[in-house]
Amino acid sequence: MSDVDVSVIIPCRNERGAIVSVLEGIPNGFEAIVVDNGSTDGTADVVAELGVRVIVEPRPGYGSAVHAGVLAAQRPIVCTIDGDGSMSPAELPGLVDRLGAGADLAVGRRRPTGPEAWPAHARAGSAAVAWWLRRRYGLPVNDIGPMRAIERERLLALGIEDRRSGYPVELLVRAARSGLRVSECAVTYTPRTAGRSKVSGSIAGSVQAGRDFLAALS
């Protein structure tokens, strides 16, 4: 595979202050697709001015945004990364390399640079879900982070139905049930460069995400 085989899907909602630096970090040859999921701060306008492809997904939810991006992508490999600047696009080739080495799904394990990068309540929730996935399915994962790489057709074939925060969990569950080879590698996790997280930025957001995670595990 080559760089021109990869589309990078970036779900966004009010990420005007961070999205430019994220797009500037996309590796040469990779196609960026920004999915605007109800922004009110002009995120889509900023992206369009840079000449980057924008998909508008009016249905709220992380899963809705990612799925819309996957449908819009035309390259055989799709990656996902958040648009808040908390992870570096420069680490995406490392995930793509895992696919070339035989993995079916490569996922990033977040390594926070400090406690401010990943609130304790959000980190604990992710760790608990990852523990369950290891225990129930033997998946070699310690995180349910938002950076990943997989073949587009393989992802669509999984038939993921969650359109909210449970999308990453359902993806891993269906990958395990389908016998996909999952590979996890460390990625740096820093404080978001602008704005506030819709999930870990509040207890209420984390509680709702926790409910979505549980639904995806059932």
Side-chain angles (χ1 to χ4, degrees):
M1 67 185 66
S2 68
D3 293 349
V4 297
D5 292 331
V6 182
S7 293
V8 182
I9 298 164
I10 311 171
C12 286
R13 184 169 182 268
N14 294 333
E15 305 292 2
R16 182 188 180 97
I19 191 60
V20 173
S21 62
V22 173
L23 291 172
E24 289 176 343
I26 297 295
N28 290 334
F30 284 26
E31 174 196 32
I33 301 175
V34 173
V35 183
D36 187 77
N37 194 213
S39 295
T40 58
D41 66 348
T43 296
D45 295 333
V46 171
V47 174
E49 289 174 2
L50 295 174
V52 175
R53 187 179 180 191
V54 181
I55 303 297
V56 175
E57 174 49 67
R59 293 171 296 180
Y62 174 82
S64 293
V66 172
H67 185 64
V70 173
L71 292 178
Q74 297 179 343
R75 299 188 180 189
I77 303 296
V78 292
C79 296
T80 55
I81 187 172
D82 282 351
D84 61 8
S86 61
M87 289 168 288
S88 172
E91 296 192 80
L92 289 171
L95 295 181
V96 176
D97 287 344
R98 295 293 180 103
L99 301 184
D104 298 315
L105 168 64
V107 294
R109 178 183 183 183
R110 289 170 288 184
R111 294 293 196 181
T113 57
E116 69 281 2
W118 198 358
H121 61 276
R123 189 171 184 176
S126 181
V129 173
W131 172 84
W132 191 92
L133 291 170
R134 292 196 304 273
R135 181 174 180 272
R136 175 66 176 82
Y137 295 108
L139 280 181
V141 296
N142 297 275
D143 189 13
I144 52 171
M147 186 186 285
R148 63 189 75 89
I150 187 173
E151 290 183 4
R152 177 179 179 274
E153 293 304 318
R154 177 167 281 143
L155 176 56
L156 290 173
L158 291 176
I160 301 169
E161 298 178 350
D162 193 286
R163 295 293 179 261
R164 299 200 306 187
S165 299
Y167 182 97
V169 178
E170 185 181 350
L171 167 59
L172 290 170
V173 169
R174 288 182 179 260
R177 290 174 177 172
S178 298
L180 299 193
R181 293 163 294 183
V182 178
S183 179
E184 184 180 71
C185 63
V187 296
T188 304
Y189 196 49
T190 62
R192 58 186 295 126
T193 56
R196 181 182 183 186
S197 172
K198 291 75 180 173
V199 175
S200 61
S202 69
I203 297 296
S206 293
V207 169
Q208 182 58 63
R211 290 172 178 166
D212 291 343
F213 293 166
L214 290 174
L217 289 172
S218 61

